[in-house]
């Protein structure tokens, strides 16, 4: 048993090989804690458990994406849920390529490759010509799965795909990031009796544990302090939340790299005023293991996903700071409806019940307020695109940022 695991009875235990990998990563974390003087900031811990070469959740060999915990996966994403997600997303992507006069695509965190294969096929069906589809993914195991999926599902277009180890200085085309921002490491901060502390990781009785240290002055925390008071009718003596330096830096990097075209980011989260509402006074950090969500980031390091909701106002500010235009911001449901998801579904034969009903049920999950439709948002930045896109034509929420 992993020495730090407090396994819930409802969570299945990993196999021996997975546990050995987790133990090796835990050993590395212990070394990093010692090297840091006994206290490691949480964002550095999160970076290790997700991305440590060979051991981290996204850089190791865990299955991650799937429909059921029984298949060894931990969560399902929209492209895995329904191929109609990619088919619909292809429409605003095609419009962005046409309006910007560009012919390249780049996807971050491409999962199993289903979104890439679906997008390329749909673009071909729309008679949209592109020169290349670049994928940026740290996981060698996922790169292999992506290559296999693309060669199987988009064989005529597989030659256009390339995997990047580093970003180009400039890029002209369309960038796609589906559930990428939520996987960026976050700092944890806590307001206790009116004073702010940063939450770090220590060894307590030979187990990983949280420990808080006072913060003297910090620009991000000062912004959060004001945002919490603005979002609520009464002040909070105690409040736990995250700061998103990695996601903000990533957004700036992409929008700086983008010389012409558009960048679409699809993820779950809220504008700043909603993000810091009293409902989230305990923070948004969450772990995903075998399709079950739980709040224990020290359970099985490297074998579970750790995420935090996206604070979209900060993302918008980061992109606009680079000189990029905010192309739009809306819910996933409104974005897909504007992009024609019901038309895409209507192309299926309703009398073919075996095919149509599962497709309709999946689309319902993509659109439903109780599922992914409202919690997930789409934010896009652009350069060289006049006006907006049809997918943001109605229901744009940029004014809420």
């Amino acid at each position: 048993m992993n020495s730090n695991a407090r396994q819930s009875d409802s969570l299945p235990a990993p196999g021996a090989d997975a546990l050995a990998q987790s133990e090796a990563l835990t050993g590395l974390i212990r070394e990093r804690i010692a090297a840091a003087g006994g206290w490691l900031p949480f964002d550095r811990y999160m970076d290790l458990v997700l991305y440590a070469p060979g051991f981290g959740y996204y850089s190791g060999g865990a299955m991650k994406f799937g429909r059921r915990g029984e298949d060894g996966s931990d969560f399902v994403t929209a492209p895995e849920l329904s191929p109609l997600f990619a088919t619909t997303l292809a429409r605003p992507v095609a419009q962005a390529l046409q309006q910007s006069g560009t012919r390249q695509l780049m996807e971050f965190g491409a999962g199993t490759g289903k979104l890439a294969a679906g997008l390329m096929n749909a673009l071909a069906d729309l008679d949209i010509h592109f020169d290349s589809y670049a994928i940026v993914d740290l996981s060698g195991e996922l790169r292999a799965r992506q290559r296999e999926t693309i060669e199987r599902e988009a064989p005529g277009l597989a030659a256009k795909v390339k995997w990047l180890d580093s970003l180009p200085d400039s890029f002209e085309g369309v960038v796609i990031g589906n559930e990428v921002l939520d996987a960026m490491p976050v700092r944890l901060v806590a307001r206790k009796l009116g004073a702010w502390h940063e939450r770090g990781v220590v060894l307590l009785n030979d187990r990983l544990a949280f420990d808080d240290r006072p913060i003297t002055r910090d620009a991000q925390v000062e912004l959060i302090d004001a945002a919490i008071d603005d979002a609520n009718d009464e002040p909070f003596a105690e409040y736990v939340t995250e700061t998103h330096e990695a996601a903000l830096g990533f957004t700036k990097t992409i929008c700086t790299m983008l010389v012409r075209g558009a960048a679409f980011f699809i993820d779950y989260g809220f504008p700043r005023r909603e993000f810091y509402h009293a409902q989230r006074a305990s923070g948004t950090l969450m772990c995903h293991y075998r399709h079950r969500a739980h709040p224990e980031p020290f359970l099985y390091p490297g074998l579970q996903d750790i995420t935090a909701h996206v604070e979209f106002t900060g993302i918008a500010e980061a992109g606009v700071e680079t000189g990029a235009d905010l192309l739009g911001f809306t819910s996933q449901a409104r974005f897909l409806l504007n992009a024609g998801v019901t038309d895409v579904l209507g192309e299926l034969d309703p009398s073919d019940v075996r095919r149509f009903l599962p497709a309709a049920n999946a689309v319902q999950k993509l659109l439903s307020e109780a599922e992914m439709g409202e919690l997930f948002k789409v934010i896009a930045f652009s350069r060289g695109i006049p006006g907006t896109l049809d997918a943001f034509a109605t229901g744009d929420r940029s004014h809420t940022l």
Side-chain angles (χ1 to χ4, degrees), residues 57 191 262 308 349:
Y57 182 76
R191 184 158 73 178
D349 181 2

Side-chain angles (χ1 to χ4, degrees), residues 299-311:
L299 177 69
Y300 305 137
L303 302 185
Q304 64 171 349
D305 192 20
I306 303 179
T307 74
H309 285 49
V310 178
E311 195 271 274

Side-chain angles (χ1 to χ4, degrees), residues 92 111-112 126 141 197 271 305 327 337 350-351 356 394:
T112 64
L126 294 169
E141 181 266 343
H197 298 71
D305 192 20
L327 191 57
L337 287 168
S351 64
F356 184 81
T394 63

Side-chain angles (χ1 to χ4, degrees), residues 150-336:
I150 291 165
E151 289 177 350
R152 182 181 66 249
E153 299 185 9
L157 298 164
K160 292 181 180 286
V161 181
K162 57 184 179 181
W163 282 262
L164 303 182
D165 294 317
S166 59
L167 295 181
D169 292 332
S170 61
F171 180 77
E172 296 187 4
V174 172
V175 175
I176 303 110
N178 182 60
E179 292 197 52
V180 171
L181 297 174
D182 71 88
M184 302 278 174
V186 295
R187 286 198 306 158
L188 288 183
V189 294
R191 184 158 73 178
K192 300 191 295 187
L193 300 178
W196 280 100
H197 298 71
E198 180 168 0
R199 187 154 289 179
V201 182
V202 298
L203 287 173
L204 182 64
N205 298 324
D206 203 37
R207 301 171 72 95
L208 300 175
F210 281 130
D211 182 67
D212 296 343
R213 288 189 171 183
I215 297 173
T216 53
R217 184 172 178 82
D218 186 293
Q220 278 293 314
V221 172
E222 289 175 5
L223 183 152
I224 289 170
D225 206 39
I228 291 171
D229 292 340
D230 179 60
N232 300 283
D233 294 331
E234 55 188 55
F236 278 81
E238 298 189 3
Y239 199 102
V240 177
T241 190
E242 307 88 27
T243 70
H244 304 80
E245 286 87 350
L248 298 178
F250 173 77
T251 303
K252 289 180 181 179
T253 297
I254 300 309
C255 288
T256 300
M257 177 190 74
L258 186 69
V259 174
R260 189 173 186 84
F264 295 88
F265 298 110
I266 306 163
D267 228 311
Y268 45 88
F270 309 93
R272 182 171 292 151
R273 205 166 194 278
E274 291 180 55
F275 189 94
Y276 294 114
H277 189 272
Q279 291 175 327
R280 281 166 283 282
S282 298
T284 71
L285 194 79
M286 187 57 62
C287 306
H288 299 274
Y289 179 77
R290 299 298 184 264
H291 291 262
R292 301 175 196 184
H294 69 88
E296 298 179 26
F298 303 134
L299 177 69
Y300 305 137
L303 302 185
Q304 64 171 349
D305 192 20
I306 303 179
T307 74
H309 285 49
V310 178
E311 195 271 274
F312 278 106
T313 301
I315 297 299
E317 291 170 348
V320 171
E321 270 182 35
T322 70
D325 296 320
L326 179 62
L327 191 57
F329 171 69
T330 192
S331 68
Q332 176 176 286
R334 175 48 53 191
F335 181 84
L336 293 176

